[in-house]
Amino acid sequence: MGFVLARYVGTAVCARLADEGARVAVLLLAIERTGRPGTGGLLVAALMVPHVLAAPIVGALADVVRRRRLFYLAIFVAYAALLAGVTPLVGRNAPAAAAMLLVAGCGAPLLIGGLTSLLGELVRDTAAPDAGAARRLQRAFGLDVSSYSMAGIGGPALAAALAVVIGAAWALVALAGLVVLGGLLLATLPLRTRATAARMADPLAGLRLMVRDRELGAVTLGSVLKETGIGALPVVAALLAVRAGDTAYTGVVLSVAAAGGLAGSLLTTVFPIRRRSPLVVVVLGAAGTGLTFLLLAVVPHGWPALVLFAVAGALGAPLVVAVFAVRDRAAPPELRTQVFTLGAGLKVTGAALGAAVAGLAAPAGAVVLLLGIAGCQLLAVLATLLVGRVTLARREPESIVS
């Protein structure tokens, strides 16, 4: 199982590094050619908006195709081709560039939630079904969460570094090559070929399942509200940098938070959380993150603040592992990928909404935004408790992965 999991993590890191980095590379390329950050922002939005709109459809397709490796590889290659192909259009034909990025964004959910949906099958098919299978699956989810953290740290930094060395256009081409590399690694994974192609599920079936299954609905709503608050973090970091008189402080804050997330995911991998309901993990994770941001409103800069940003990042890791575990348990085979891609798409949309609101509220200052982030964590706690109240009342405590 170890070698299979290593290849999976390599696939995930390549795909997610490129996805995170592409947003920065597109922005830098637009600024380089037009001098207008607003144009770059609109192009980045074009790449991100389809996440939630296309997620149910691309997930439903992945759930019914016979040759999933070929389907995933085709999406990876198409995404890479669109990223590379958009470079001559940015700054010269904005509508065409936006249209191309919209199409690319339709495949992005498969690079995020779609990959995670494969883990249950890969772990169960490559390990004996013994008492340790659940622990191995949780460790696999922990490693998967670490790939998001690595992408959060390395993607923007890689894009910026490549843009300085070879230019923003070639940086985008290089990131496209990274997606192709991820696709080649994915092609080596032992994914079963289905005997026959199934009938495609209703694209809204995954959403209906989230409404019907209280536990799944609770952790999904809680994680989306939590991520909506975290989406404001780049704006907060920029405001703190202005206050400190050091533009580099923006990157420091974001890197420290992402590094905390990486440390938290690795700790969760080494020391799996057991005997705790996923709902409890989500509630405690959001509550701890909210408290951390309340403290940051009091101490918003300096070394104590950086430590708190790292703690906030670390507290998010067990929460995400718990959400993955609930999706894995609740989604039937015919809806599995759709549930994972839709959940990921909703989180991306929540983060984008948080960033947009933070941008509009930026004149109010960093402290107000920090309190707003903390408020979103409180909303996540309340929503998880309210939606999941029947689950908490009727179910016995169980491990995150069962």
Side-chain angles (χ1 to χ4, degrees):
M1 175 190 141
F3 187 44
V4 170
L5 195 54
R7 298 196 317 261
Y8 170 86
V9 172
T11 300
V13 169
C14 287
R16 291 162 184 166
L17 266 175
D19 185 56
E20 290 281 349
R23 303 169 196 176
V24 175
V26 167
L27 178 62
L28 293 176
L29 181 58
I31 293 173
E32 180 183 293
R33 289 182 176 170
T34 69
R36 296 193 297 271
T39 300
L42 290 173
L43 292 177
V44 172
L47 185 61
M48 293 181 67
V49 164
H51 275 69
V52 71
L53 300 177
I57 298 172
V58 73
L61 283 171
D63 282 324
V64 299
V65 295
R66 288 187 64 237
R67 301 181 182 277
R68 284 174 300 158
R69 266 187 302 191
L70 185 59
F71 178 73
Y72 272 80
L73 182 59
I75 294 292
F76 271 55
V77 171
Y79 186 81
L82 289 164
L83 284 187
V86 80
T87 53
L89 299 174
V90 176
R92 292 161 187 162
N93 190 333
M100 191 170 284
L101 289 171
L102 278 169
V103 176
C106 290
L110 218 61
L111 279 66
I112 305 173
L115 282 178
T116 304
S117 72
L118 302 175
L119 269 177
E121 175 185 332
L122 291 173
V123 171
R124 293 184 184 104
D125 283 0
T126 55
D130 55 23
R135 182 170 180 146
R136 284 193 292 271
L137 182 55
Q138 187 183 340
R139 283 179 168 166
F141 283 141
L143 284 173
D144 193 51
V145 174
S146 73
S147 75
Y148 285 99
S149 300
M150 284 186 273
I153 298 170
L158 178 62
L162 287 172
V164 170
V165 176
I166 59 177
W170 283 109
L172 203 52
V173 172
L175 291 169
L178 198 57
V179 177
V180 174
L181 176 59
L184 294 176
L185 286 171
L186 182 140
T188 69
L189 296 177
L191 298 177
R192 290 193 305 270
T193 299
R194 297 186 175 102
T196 58
R199 183 179 177 181
M200 182 173 168
D202 180 349
L204 296 178
L207 183 61
R208 283 198 291 270
L209 178 63
M210 290 178 179
V211 173
R212 216 167 43 242
D213 187 305
R214 282 188 176 273
E215 185 179 38
L216 178 60
V219 300
T220 299
L221 183 57
S223 64
V224 170
L225 288 171
K226 178 185 182 301
E227 201 63 28
T228 300
I230 298 300
L233 189 55
V235 179
V236 170
L239 291 174
L240 292 177
V242 171
R243 177 185 292 184
D246 181 5
T247 55
Y249 193 68
T250 302
V252 171
V253 168
L254 297 177
S255 296
V256 164
L262 176 59
S265 61
L266 293 177
L267 283 172
T268 305
T269 302
V270 176
F271 304 106
I273 300 171
R274 290 176 286 178
R275 304 188 191 88
R276 289 290 181 274
S277 161
L279 286 172
V280 172
V281 174
V282 171
V283 167
L284 292 178
T289 304
L291 177 60
T292 304
F293 277 102
L294 283 175
L295 292 173
L296 278 164
V298 179
V299 188
H301 54 79
W303 284 108
L306 292 179
V307 171
L308 289 172
F309 278 118
V311 170
L315 288 171
L319 184 152
V320 179
V321 171
V323 173
F324 287 171
V326 174
R327 289 179 191 165
D328 178 75
R329 190 162 57 219
E334 66 274 13
L335 295 178
R336 181 177 181 79
T337 312
Q338 186 183 144
V339 167
F340 273 89
T341 54
L342 178 58
L346 289 169
K347 285 181 65 176
V348 170
T349 303
L353 177 62
V357 172
L360 294 173
V367 171
V368 171
L369 293 186
L370 287 166
L371 291 173
I373 295 175
C376 284
Q377 311 312 301
L378 176 59
L379 287 176
V381 170
L382 294 175
T384 305
L385 289 173
L386 289 173
V387 176
R389 65 189 184 280
V390 172
T391 304
L392 282 169
R394 293 182 181 176
R395 286 192 182 181
E396 293 296 321
E398 54 188 276
S399 68
I400 285 182
V401 181
S402 60

